[in-house]
Amino acid sequence: MKPHDLLDVAHLLVGHHLTKHDVVVDMTAGNGHDTVFLARHAGHVLAYDIQPQAIEQTRLHLAREALDNVTLIQDSHVNIKDHVGPFKGFVFNLGYLPGGDKTITTRTDTTIQAIKTALSLLAVDGFMLVVCYPGHPEGEREARAVDDIMARLDHAHYHVIKTHLPNTRSPSPYFYFLTSSSAKKKDE
Ligand SMILES: C[S@@+](CC[C@H](N)C(=O)[O-])C[C@H]1O[C@@H](n2cnc3c(N)ncnc32)[C@H](O)[C@@H]1O
């Protein structure tokens, strides 16, 4: 299974949890594949990326698909803290822009900060997808920190699954998909 197949599985899970009434956040728009998927299945999408190139790619991708239910935000996803939730879901597809500058990548400290904020803004019965790429040095550090935060979530309030590729050469990408239960604690 290739990384894009892994994302197909992730999209199946995300699609299963979305309705046209939901507002969701793509925390890393990149080339817009995830944003387009979310826009097809949700009511409205906020999509963050720090790179103008990524915002432009995503804008073009959405225009090709005639999708107009996305607000593109060229900013760090840590600033989701300025929004009032709840949001039905969050997608973090970490790492660098495919085909872009590999030195501009998501970073451990801001990713963890953004995941914590996203948890606090997540709706009851919401979801979060986090795709990790441990195959480069910052991605490896970031993936370990994501592992840590996922392992510490109270299983009474969050159902967490991890999907990886056991028969590919490691370190291969993997993802976490979590859903919040109706008993979700407000302070996480
Ligand atoms: C793997 S790509 C995302 C792929 C994308 N979801 C798609 O479907 O094409 C990761 C993206 O995260 C962006 N990024 C890095 N740090 C960020 C931050 N602090 N806030 C928002 N986006 C960030 C990068 O610019 C890059 O475009």
Side-chain angles (χ1 to χ4, degrees), residues 7 11 26-36 48-55 58 61 73 75-79 91-98 101 104-107 110-111 114 131 133 142:
L7 293 178
H11 282 181
D26 186 347
M27 297 292 262
T28 53
N31 287 321
H33 302 292
D34 296 319
T35 310
V36 163
Y48 281 87
D49 205 292
I50 48 174
Q51 295 194 67
Q53 183 191 343
I55 294 293
T58 302
H61 201 153
I73 306 168
D75 195 0
S76 173
H77 46 217
V78 293
N79 290 322
V91 171
F92 292 80
N93 193 346
L94 302 173
Y96 47 78
L97 183 65
D101 182 346
I104 305 174
T105 183
T106 52
R107 308 201 71 82
T110 44
T111 295
V131 187
Y133 297 86
E142 183 180 52

Side-chain angles (χ1 to χ4, degrees), residues 100-123:
D101 182 346
K102 293 187 177 176
T103 64
I104 305 174
T105 183
T106 52
R107 308 201 71 82
T108 306
D109 54 344
T110 44
T111 295
I112 296 306
Q113 197 183 328
I115 288 175
K116 285 182 177 168
T117 304
L119 286 169
S120 73
L121 294 174
L122 193 60

Side-chain angles (χ1 to χ4, degrees), residues 3-4 6-12 14-15 18 24-42 45-49 57-58 61-62 67 69-70 72 90-96 98 127 129-131 133 175:
H4 67 265
L6 189 74
L7 293 178
D8 288 345
V9 176
H11 282 181
L12 278 178
V14 168
L18 277 182
V24 293
V25 189
D26 186 347
M27 297 292 262
T28 53
N31 287 321
H33 302 292
D34 296 319
T35 310
V36 163
F37 180 84
L38 292 170
R40 284 198 190 116
H41 292 84
V45 184
L46 302 186
Y48 281 87
D49 205 292
Q57 285 299 330
T58 302
H61 201 153
L62 289 163
L67 291 163
N69 57 337
V70 177
L72 294 169
F90 290 87
V91 171
F92 292 80
N93 193 346
L94 302 173
Y96 47 78
F127 70 86
L129 170 70
V130 185
V131 187
Y133 297 86
F175 71 76

